[in-house]
Amino acid sequence: MGMIAISLCTNITEGTMADWTAVYMRDVVQSGDFFIGWGFAGYALFMASGRFIGDSLIPRYGSRKVLVIGGLLAAAGIVTAVFIPHTFAAILGFGMVGAGVSCGAPILYGSAARVPGMAKGAGLATMNTFSLAGFLAGPAIIGLISNALSLSFAIGLVALLALIWAFLSSRANLY
């Protein structure tokens, strides 16, 4: 159950970044047209880089520590983008989020395939169901909150989810 909760948090974060960074750059940061897509580009670049680097980090530091640090890094990145709503600070913040979430999926999917007493396929299917639910439903929920309150507040809530994932990761049974 802990892995599923962590996965929901990481995937809501990923979905939010995929769907809302350009809107945030345009509406909140009020970046020029050239920079609107750079928030997502920073996120995507650091997420892809982190996935490649993760192959050396995970064996060295362990899955739990990488997930905890990832959650803290993602939270710090979101806080940076929300509390310093300037173009380059937001790009840096979203890049930090990308680095933070980068190893989440590989660790959680690998662990789901190794759950004792569960077939690999069943573990992966269960993890994938909740991962996709978070990735698809999270941005819609962010949109509702954003409509009711503000986009900065809604994205700021994702920082709270990142802290929850860091906390749960510190206690999770990863296989």
Side-chain angles (χ1 to χ4, degrees), residues 7-120:
S7 179
L8 282 170
C9 292
T10 61
N11 282 284
I12 289 170
T13 303
E14 284 191 43
T16 299
M17 295 298 107
D19 289 0
W20 288 101
T21 52
V23 177
Y24 186 84
M25 295 294 286
R26 182 192 68 209
D27 294 352
V28 176
V29 176
Q30 298 180 343
S31 294
D33 289 344
F34 178 79
F35 288 105
I36 288 174
W38 280 85
F40 179 74
Y43 163 77
L45 174 68
F46 279 86
M47 186 188 356
S49 300
R51 290 245 166 113
F52 288 118
I53 294 169
D55 288 340
S56 64
L57 294 178
I58 295 166
R60 182 179 298 161
Y61 298 106
S63 297
R64 181 176 316 214
K65 186 177 274 189
V66 171
L67 277 174
V68 169
I69 291 170
L72 296 174
L73 186 59
I78 292 167
V79 167
T80 298
V82 169
F83 286 103
I84 309 172
H86 298 287
T87 300
F88 296 108
I91 293 169
L92 173 67
F94 292 142
M96 291 167 64
V97 177
V101 301
S102 64
C103 294
I107 290 170
L108 294 167
Y109 277 103
S111 190
R114 295 186 295 270
V115 173
M118 183 179 262
K120 287 181 182 185

Side-chain angles (χ1 to χ4, degrees), residues 85-165:
H86 298 287
T87 300
F88 296 108
I91 293 169
L92 173 67
F94 292 142
M96 291 167 64
V97 177
V101 301
S102 64
C103 294
I107 290 170
L108 294 167
Y109 277 103
S111 190
R114 295 186 295 270
V115 173
M118 183 179 262
K120 287 181 182 185
L124 287 170
T126 302
M127 179 62 68
N128 194 49
T129 299
F130 285 97
S131 295
L132 284 175
F135 188 83
L136 296 173
I141 294 166
I142 294 302
L144 290 171
I145 296 168
S146 159
N147 234 8
L149 300 169
S150 76
L151 183 54
S152 295
F153 181 81
I155 288 180
L157 288 177
V158 179
L160 180 61
L161 290 177
L163 291 174
I164 291 169
W165 118 42

